Amino acid sequence: MAPLRPSLQFDPALLLRAQDVRVAFFDVDGVLTDGGLYFSETGETLKRFHTLDGHGIKLLQKAGIVPAVVTGRDAPALRLRLQALGVVHARFGTEDKRPAAEAILAELGLGWHQAAAMGDDWPDLPVMRRCALACAPFHAHAEARAVAHHVTTAPGGNGAAREFCDLLLVASGRYAALLEAYAA
């Protein structure tokens, strides 16, 4: 069997921006979910996550890129999903996301130049503006799209985070080897 050739293509300037990334920050609502808030009759918040996004996060970990979550909300469903994905660096219920991201960077011994972020609204802007690479889902607020170096073709909660992960994997030089390992 012939080896698989990666079919993804990203702008070379974008790949250069992302090549030193060692941590990827994710917002949740509107990025890892579709942004809708679903409440049960008992008031429990329900969230829908896409398996493509989850697998992308797992691939980041295999490539040595740390996934981290900084979100303004907290919900048992979110904590369960992050636990299932092995995400250990997370800050919940914070509207001021910059200090939360800085604390994670300090824990990891990394700087902003080694970070990427994906967000969709104003609370994400302080983190997105400081990172080497900022990404937004195509349905993000106009201000988030304006500061993003890359706007995905997929919407939040439906593969946008996977597109962000794939970009980071290609930039790291690990995408082709990971793909071949799965296709063998």
Side-chain angles (χ1 to χ4, degrees):
M1 227 177 338
L4 275 179
R5 292 187 182 177
S7 61
L8 287 178
Q9 298 287 323
F10 292 101
D11 182 285
L14 204 53
L15 296 174
L16 282 173
R17 277 192 158 281
Q19 72 182 5
D20 294 327
V21 167
R22 299 294 172 258
V23 60
F25 291 107
F26 294 87
D27 176 37
V28 176
D29 294 322
V31 171
L32 294 179
T33 74
D34 63 9
L37 296 175
Y38 307 92
F39 294 96
S40 72
E41 60 277 353
T42 61
E44 180 184 10
T45 304
L46 308 173
K47 296 186 180 288
R48 178 191 164 277
F49 299 95
H50 201 290
T51 59
L52 284 176
D53 297 335
H55 190 68
I57 288 171
K58 288 181 179 182
L59 290 171
L60 284 183
Q61 293 166 325
K62 286 184 179 191
I65 299 171
V66 177
V69 167
V70 179
T71 180
R73 295 187 184 277
D74 193 0
L78 171 59
R79 288 182 181 255
L80 267 169
R81 181 63 175 150
L82 295 180
Q83 182 181 12
L85 294 174
V87 175
V88 296
H89 296 281
R91 298 295 187 275
F92 304 96
T94 179
E95 285 300 317
D96 192 0
K97 295 184 178 188
R98 184 189 49 78
E102 286 174 341
I104 292 171
L105 287 171
E107 287 173 18
L108 297 171
L110 299 173
W112 286 112
H113 67 285
Q114 297 168 297
M118 186 170 202
D120 72 320
D121 207 349
W122 291 13
D124 304 312
L125 296 177
V127 174
M128 292 173 70
R129 293 183 65 215
R130 285 168 173 77
C131 287
L133 177 76
C135 189
F138 83 85
H139 73 285
H141 189 277
E143 302 304 338
R145 289 191 319 266
V147 302
H149 301 106
H150 179 69
V151 176
T152 66
T153 58
N158 286 292
R162 176 59 178 272
E163 189 175 327
F164 175 54
C165 293
D166 287 343
L167 168 58
L168 296 176
L169 292 168
V170 170
S172 76
R174 299 287 314 275
Y175 185 90
L178 288 165
L179 175 64
E180 187 59 34
Y182 274 89

